[in-house]
């Protein structure tokens, strides 16, 4: 097993570069890890990630529509939010 922060996530981060018009959903249970991953992903060219949490959805009601429309290459989300009815909108 590789150490934390060893670079394993680069595979997941690179998928939208290899498979155009794809969206990578990254489920991360800890906010500190999400913030760190978001910064690393933002450093990659041609990548448009979003860190989705309850406050973002409340502040930007159209964020789920943007995700569903494919405007983001990466969606970082908690397991709790991913399993919510609110988030399931993007899969219908």
């Amino acid at each position: 097993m590789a150490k934390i922060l060893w670079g394993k996530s680069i595979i997941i981060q690179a998928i939208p570069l290899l498979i155009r018009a794809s969206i990578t959903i990254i489920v991360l249970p800890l906010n500190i890890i999400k913030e760190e991953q978001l910064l690393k992903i933002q450093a990659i060219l041609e990548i448009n990630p979003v860190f989705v949490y309850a406050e973002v959805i409340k502040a930007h009601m159209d964020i789920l529509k943007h995700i569903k429309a494919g405007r983001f290459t990466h969606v970082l989300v908690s397991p709790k939010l991913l399993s919510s009815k609110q988030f399931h909108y993007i899969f219908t």
Side-chain angles (χ1 to χ4, degrees):
M1 179 175 220
K3 294 181 182 179
I4 296 174
L5 303 176
W6 187 71
K8 301 177 298 291
S9 59
I10 192 68
I11 296 165
I12 295 168
Q13 294 167 0
I15 289 174
L17 293 173
L18 302 171
I19 304 170
R20 296 294 178 178
S22 66
I23 299 172
T24 300
I25 297 175
I26 302 172
V27 183
L28 297 167
L30 303 173
N31 285 342
I32 193 158
I33 295 173
K34 284 183 243 175
E35 292 168 4
E36 181 180 293
Q37 288 293 313
L38 183 62
L39 290 173
K40 287 182 179 185
I41 293 169
Q42 287 172 332
I44 303 170
L45 298 176
E46 299 182 42
I47 297 290
N48 186 24
V50 64
F51 175 15
V52 182
Y53 49 97
E55 290 80 13
V56 168
I57 293 173
K58 288 177 188 174
H60 306 284
M61 293 302 289
D62 59 344
I63 193 77
L64 296 178
K65 291 179 186 176
H66 292 301
I67 293 170
K68 186 172 183 169
R71 295 196 179 134
F72 300 102
T73 56
H74 295 75
V75 178
L76 288 83
V77 63
S78 71
K80 183 178 178 181
L81 187 58
L82 182 64
S83 65
S84 73
K85 288 181 182 181
Q86 187 178 26
F87 198 82
H88 282 223
Y89 162 80
I90 67 168
F91 300 111
T92 60

